[in-house]
Amino acid sequence: MKVSSVPSPNMKPNMNMKMKKNNRTTENLLRMQKHKLLYLMVLPGLVYFIIFKYFPMGGLVIAFQDYQAFLGITGSPWVGMKHFIRLFTEPTFFMLLRNTLVLFALNIVIFFPLPIILALMLNEVRKRVFKNIIQTIIYIPHFMSWVIIVSISYVFLTVDGGVLNEMIAALGGEKISFLTSPEWLRTVYMGQVIWKELGWSTIIYLSAITVVDTQLYEAAEMDGAGRLRKTWHVTLPAIRPVIITLLILKIGSTLDLGFEHMYLLLNSLNREVAEIFDTYIYTAGLKNGQLSFSTTVGLFKGVVGLILIMGSNRLAKKFGEDGVY
């Protein structure tokens, strides 16, 4: 007697799911084949990130070792969480955390809104020649290295013959030690950041503004809106996704302020407020030869940045924004 096999009720949904996956894979392959030149353009950047960003992450294992160069990664003894315990229990950690968070807060509160404001102002300039001249002038500092920026600042701010101090002295005031005084360190730091990066940071916002639908401006003008109202009710809402995305990326770099700039400003007199995680990694790792400990500090920075990006991205999506991913 021949018994016919009866298909399981779950077999049909499973087959449908497999078919959908196969169709999706086929669509992706066709899309990649159709836009193969675009994917080819992405390839160099992808190779760069794999070689210089992801591959070196294997070296993070020395954060859990007492790494010795002549023994290598495989031969160095394991110490577990020893370096992490040292990092979190040393008084230096709280000084580094305080200095880094204060400078980051200044970047968010003072610097982050400025490119948006400047981009909105440039958008209102109607004479294209005048607008191009202004953009060229404010973009130039970005292409200067921090060495040049700090050197120019030294010429203006140094006590011995500095232009600004000479003007203060000529007016009957007392010269101010801008470069060595802890009270002035953060002011000088923010001034240099604004000078160097303000103009360049407006490019993304200006690009976002150019794709705003002109019909929205015409409708707002018909309703009697002036320039300020059109900026507030049309331009800003239109570029809000870009602002949110850049803010999320900025929050992810909370503990990553950059080494070169602060290292050039750092000296023995302002170290109490100028030492940050980036400069401390250089001092501990290269100067003092504590490679495992400096790797621990870098790993801590990376983990905190990842958590902040994921948290801020989830928060942005919760409020209806697109987020980074």
Side-chain angles (χ1 to χ4, degrees):
M1 183 175 179
K2 193 173 182 180
V3 180
S4 59
S5 59
V6 179
S8 171
N10 295 327
M11 187 178 293
K12 193 171 183 179
N14 290 337
M15 291 178 63
N16 290 335
M17 289 180 63
K18 287 182 180 179
M19 290 178 63
K20 286 181 180 179
K21 287 183 179 179
N22 292 334
N23 291 336
R24 195 179 299 116
T25 303
T26 304
E27 289 176 3
N28 291 334
L29 291 174
L30 291 173
R31 190 182 298 112
M32 291 179 66
Q33 186 177 3
K34 181 180 179 181
H35 304 288
K36 55 185 178 182
L37 292 179
L38 294 178
Y39 285 99
L40 191 63
M41 290 176 61
V42 174
L43 186 61
L46 184 63
V47 171
Y48 166 80
F49 273 94
I50 292 174
I51 295 176
F52 295 103
K53 299 296 182 179
Y54 288 96
F55 183 72
M57 288 175 66
L60 292 175
V61 70
I62 69 175
F64 305 94
Q65 295 178 325
D66 188 7
Y67 178 74
Q68 300 176 31
F70 60 90
L71 293 177
I73 293 179
T74 56
S76 298
W78 287 85
V79 294
M81 304 297 291
K82 172 186 172 182
H83 299 300
F84 289 93
I85 295 171
R86 175 189 167 188
L87 172 64
F88 297 133
T89 54
E90 282 190 350
T92 309
F93 172 76
F94 297 99
M95 179 193 72
L96 297 173
L97 187 63
R98 181 195 69 231
N99 294 342
T100 305
L101 290 179
V102 169
L103 290 176
F104 173 75
L106 291 174
N107 271 280
I108 289 293
V109 175
I110 298 176
F111 177 75
F112 187 78
L114 290 180
I116 303 173
I117 297 171
L118 182 57
L120 294 174
M121 294 172 65
L122 288 172
N123 186 57
E124 296 299 323
V125 178
R126 294 293 175 255
K127 291 187 177 181
R128 189 167 185 82
V129 176
F130 184 59
K131 182 178 180 179
N132 291 338
I133 293 173
I134 294 176
Q135 287 180 286
T136 302
I137 293 173
I138 62 178
Y139 291 167
I140 288 175
H142 172 78
F143 299 98
M144 300 180 186
S145 68
W146 280 116
V147 176
I148 297 175
I149 296 294
V150 175
S151 299
I152 295 174
S153 301
Y154 179 85
V155 173
F156 278 90
L157 302 177
T158 182
V159 175
D160 300 325
V163 176
L164 184 58
N165 271 311
E166 290 299 324
M167 292 175 60
I168 294 174
L171 295 173
E174 187 176 349
K175 292 185 177 182
I176 302 173
S177 182
F178 293 103
L179 302 175
T180 58
S181 174
E183 292 81 11
W184 283 96
L185 183 277
R186 289 162 183 159
T187 304
V188 173
Y189 173 86
M190 287 307 305
Q192 292 172 347
V193 169
I194 292 171
W195 177 28
K196 186 177 189 296
E197 300 297 344
L198 177 59
W200 186 257
S201 301
T202 62
I203 292 178
I204 296 179
Y205 298 113
L206 285 171
S207 301
I209 291 172
T210 56
V211 298
V212 179
D213 191 353
T214 55
Q215 293 182 358
L216 297 175
Y217 291 110
E218 294 172 359
E221 193 171 348
M222 290 177 64
D223 290 337
R227 284 193 174 185
L228 288 177
R229 285 192 173 275
K230 285 190 288 186
T231 300
W232 183 260
H233 293 288
V234 178
T235 309
L236 281 176
I239 66 173
R240 186 174 61 184
V242 176
I243 297 174
I244 296 297
T245 301
L246 293 179
L247 181 60
I248 292 172
L249 296 175
K250 190 74 174 177
I251 291 174
S253 61
T254 300
L255 302 183
D256 190 12
L257 298 176
F259 161 75
E260 186 180 6
H261 183 196
M262 187 53 72
Y263 183 73
L264 293 169
L265 292 175
L266 182 65
N267 55 61
S268 58
L269 298 177
N270 62 18
R271 185 174 298 275
E272 189 65 26
V273 296
E275 189 81 89
I276 58 176
F277 284 106
D278 298 286
T279 57
Y280 187 68
I281 290 173
Y282 171 79
T283 303
L286 296 182
K287 282 191 172 182
N288 300 334
Q290 303 174 17
L291 298 178
S292 291
F293 181 65
S294 61
T295 303
T296 301
V297 181
L299 179 57
F300 167 73
K301 280 179 48 186
V303 171
V304 170
L306 178 62
I307 293 172
L308 289 173
I309 281 185
M310 294 177 66
S312 55
N313 186 74
R314 179 171 295 185
L315 187 64
K317 286 192 172 183
K318 188 176 180 180
F319 285 96
E321 302 295 337
D322 293 333
V324 178
Y325 59 90

